[in-house]
Amino acid sequence: MKLTRRSALALPALALLTRPALAAFPDRPVRIIVPFAAGTSSDFRARMIGERMAPVLRQPVIVENRAGAGGVVGADAVAKAAPDGHTLLLGSNGPLTNAPVLQARLPYDPDRDFAAVAMISRSTVTLSVRADSPFRTVVDVLAAARAKPGDLSIGSSG
């Protein structure tokens, strides 16, 4: 599409028309729901982000911890909140990726009920075994799991 002189002159007017809508948000404090306990790395991240968001938004940013069920309790609170941008979820793979696979029924649909706003951090996930284990590759672990269903156990922070 070619930008004409007339269109270029109209752009500042268009920006002025959208200004009142932008100025109205947020009109009250913003909540960041952390679906894990206070003092966790997720809680720390949310508090750091909230401190930086508050001056930009010109509103307080409140971090609220809603732990339980591997993050499902907090995620459900956000899913049921008004979709006005004042309630945010510090999402993670626990309630958004793991829970839908591990739990038969969830009170929310991760695909339908949430929209990603920003990625704030990444972390590496590792699969580790004891050094004297017979497993040397992921293929070895999968083969053992298939050969004896229910025989292997795992540990996870989520």
Side-chain angles (χ1 to χ4, degrees):
M1 179 175 124
K2 184 178 177 186
L3 184 65
T4 66
R5 182 172 182 258
R6 183 174 292 187
S7 297
L9 292 172
L11 287 175
L14 181 61
L16 290 174
L17 290 175
T18 61
R19 185 89 173 129
L22 294 175
F25 178 83
D27 59 358
R28 63 184 184 278
V30 172
R31 291 186 313 150
I32 300 176
I33 304 288
V34 178
F36 304 107
T40 60
S41 60
S42 297
D43 177 59
F44 177 73
R45 283 186 190 102
R47 292 179 191 284
M48 278 186 13
I49 290 164
E51 284 178 16
R52 288 169 175 84
M53 285 174 61
V56 173
L57 297 176
R58 296 185 183 141
Q59 286 289 340
V61 176
I62 300 161
V63 174
E64 185 178 324
N65 298 89
R66 295 257 189 122
V72 172
V73 171
D76 184 41
V78 175
K80 290 179 176 154
D84 57 10
H86 288 86
T87 305
L88 305 171
L89 172 68
L90 187 85
S92 72
N93 62 346
L96 300 176
T97 306
N98 297 347
V101 175
L102 298 174
Q103 297 185 28
R105 289 187 0 219
L106 287 176
Y108 57 85
D109 180 324
D111 295 324
R112 181 193 68 226
D113 295 334
F114 302 102
V117 175
M119 181 187 304
I120 59 167
S121 67
R122 291 190 305 188
S123 60
T124 302
V125 178
T126 63
L127 178 64
S128 304
V129 296
R130 289 177 41 121
D132 60 354
S133 162
F135 310 122
R136 294 290 168 250
T137 68
V138 174
V139 173
D140 294 342
V141 174
L142 292 174
R146 288 184 182 117
K148 295 182 180 178
D151 201 40
L152 293 180
S153 61
I154 65 162
S156 166
S157 64

